[in-house]
Amino acid sequence: MASTIELAQSMPVRSKLKCWGDFALVDTTTGADLKPRGRKARALFAYLAMHPGKAISRERLAGLLWGERAEEQARASLRTALVELKPLANGSLNVLEIERDNIAVRAGSLATDLDEMQAGAGRGDYRAVLAELAEPDECLFANLDGVDEGFDEWLSIERMRQRDALTTLIADCSAAALAQGRVREARLLHARALEFDSEAIAPGS
């Protein structure tokens, strides 16, 4: 008999999260917009999505997103946000695992633009990497600033981490393409790497 993990891994991924630029979440089969209405619910999902397969305690999430509130109020607000996210835990989507003490995005249940760039690089599909690349002036979850002080602090650090990782990924793809004699793709990737690197160190950025 197949284990729960094996069954989950065999199921097609139905949801895709756009991380670079504005938060966007869609059903890859129907094209339906799955984005939660509330910004706190979106921020909650964004944080969980950046830690796929990791169970995050309700205490941690309440403190991250409702740090200015008393503990009971924060936990109540978290429960309200989880009600909004509950459709993502049911049916064919099956993205969220909501337990009594912990919440998690199920590993392998969600596609992201970050994942697809990594996958494209891994299989040498540099055109796919270029197609998924954000503009250099875009940032991670651009419309989720000002949600809460704790979340803002995490988001600032995550933005720097992901930009550094993306710059390295593009540069590595450029070098690999050049080694394979794919000069045009190598040049395009190199130009994009320079755009991201210069944006990261530009004054006032």
Side-chain angles (χ1 to χ4, degrees):
M1 181 178 293
S3 68
T4 302
I5 293 175
E6 288 171 338
L7 288 172
Q9 289 176 340
S10 67
M11 295 175 64
V13 176
R14 285 282 307 272
S15 309
K16 181 177 179 182
L17 176 66
K18 181 175 180 286
C19 304
W20 282 103
D22 287 349
F23 176 108
L25 183 64
V26 298
D27 185 320
T28 58
T29 301
T30 66
D33 185 0
L34 303 175
K35 180 172 73 260
R37 288 186 301 172
R39 294 182 75 238
K40 293 263 181 156
R42 295 177 198 174
L44 172 58
F45 188 82
Y47 182 81
L48 293 168
M50 292 293 98
H51 302 83
K54 181 178 180 180
I56 309 295
S57 71
R58 287 180 181 245
E59 181 181 4
R60 165 64 179 156
L61 295 170
L64 184 74
L65 290 160
W66 294 275
E68 79 287 354
R69 299 187 184 182
E71 182 178 349
E72 285 304 313
Q73 288 180 313
R75 284 181 172 272
S77 297
L78 174 61
R79 288 194 294 271
T80 299
L82 288 173
V83 169
E84 192 172 345
L85 292 175
K86 198 169 183 179
L88 297 173
N90 300 327
S92 58
L93 294 176
N94 202 33
V95 175
L96 278 182
E97 187 171 0
I98 302 175
E99 298 180 340
R100 179 172 180 173
D101 298 319
N102 302 302
I103 319 295
V105 162
R106 297 178 190 275
S109 68
L110 177 71
T112 71
D113 48 358
L114 304 177
D115 295 333
E116 294 195 355
M117 283 186 280
Q118 288 282 356
R123 63 177 183 267
D125 187 351
Y126 306 125
R127 291 183 182 277
V129 175
L130 287 162
E132 286 287 345
L133 279 177
E135 292 303 313
D137 60 344
E138 289 184 329
C139 61
L140 202 74
F141 302 125
N143 54 350
L144 291 183
D145 288 294
V147 169
D148 188 89
E149 184 177 345
F151 181 81
D152 287 351
E153 183 178 347
W154 168 79
L155 183 57
S156 177
I157 295 170
E158 189 66 14
R159 281 173 174 169
M160 290 188 289
R161 189 176 76 84
Q162 292 293 346
R163 180 174 286 275
D164 287 346
L166 182 58
T167 303
T168 299
L169 176 71
I170 304 168
D172 288 348
C173 286
S174 176
L178 186 61
Q180 295 165 19
R182 298 159 66 175
V183 177
R184 183 174 183 277
E185 289 168 294
R187 286 175 175 169
L188 288 171
L189 287 160
H190 180 67
R192 295 307 310 272
L194 290 176
E195 287 177 0
F196 276 87
D197 190 51
S198 63
E199 179 69 19
I201 62 176
S205 64

